Amino acid sequence: MNIGFAMCSVLCVFFLLVAAIFTVLKEKAAILISGFNALPKEKRKLYDQEKMSRDQRNSLLIWAGITGAGAVLSYFLSGYLGIVAMIIWLILFFKDVHMDAEKAFQKYKK
């Protein structure tokens, strides 16, 4: 077993499990989003938590797809393809990282 397959398969399973949590809990899962749980309860009510949870679930499913494809490709073709998948995932992950919670959630204001 190569390292690319191991990394990608573990992350794929993790992302699928967390996406399942967001699917089951729906708008209640918005509290699990980093930065949102730090906002006061009054400010949380100003945001569309259902849309936030749905978008986070979709991101997790995309990440699971990328890492799953990386696991399959690294298993059958080359371990380096798993590393390529990890780099693609990191780019997508850091694209969505914001230092300011207000800026991160402004598109979800009601």
Side-chain angles (χ1 to χ4, degrees):
M1 180 179 352
N2 60 41
I3 191 75
F5 173 75
M7 285 187 326
C8 287
S9 59
V10 168
L11 276 176
C12 180
V13 170
F14 174 74
F15 292 147
L16 287 173
L17 288 174
V18 178
I21 291 171
F22 275 89
T23 301
V24 171
L25 294 179
K26 299 190 188 306
E27 69 270 355
K28 293 177 185 172
I31 198 73
L32 300 174
I33 298 173
S34 179
F36 189 69
N37 57 357
L39 293 175
K41 286 186 179 185
E42 300 81 36
K43 286 194 175 185
R44 286 185 211 156
K45 293 177 183 177
L46 301 174
Y47 297 99
D48 186 359
Q49 295 181 27
E50 184 178 345
K51 186 176 179 191
M52 290 173 68
S53 293
R54 190 173 49 244
D55 285 353
Q56 186 65 42
R57 181 202 63 206
N58 291 343
S59 292
L60 287 162
L61 290 174
I62 290 170
W63 298 347
I66 291 169
T67 54
V72 169
L73 291 173
S74 67
Y75 184 79
F76 289 111
L77 297 178
S78 171
Y80 294 113
L81 292 175
I83 296 170
V84 170
M86 295 301 299
I87 292 170
I88 293 170
W89 170 73
L90 283 171
I91 290 169
L92 289 175
F93 176 77
F94 284 115
K95 179 186 71 99
D96 291 334
V97 172
H98 299 283
M99 295 300 186
D100 182 26
E102 294 290 330
K103 182 180 176 185
F105 304 123
Q106 72 185 20
K107 69 179 182 178
Y108 300 111
K109 283 210 176 200
K110 290 183 181 179

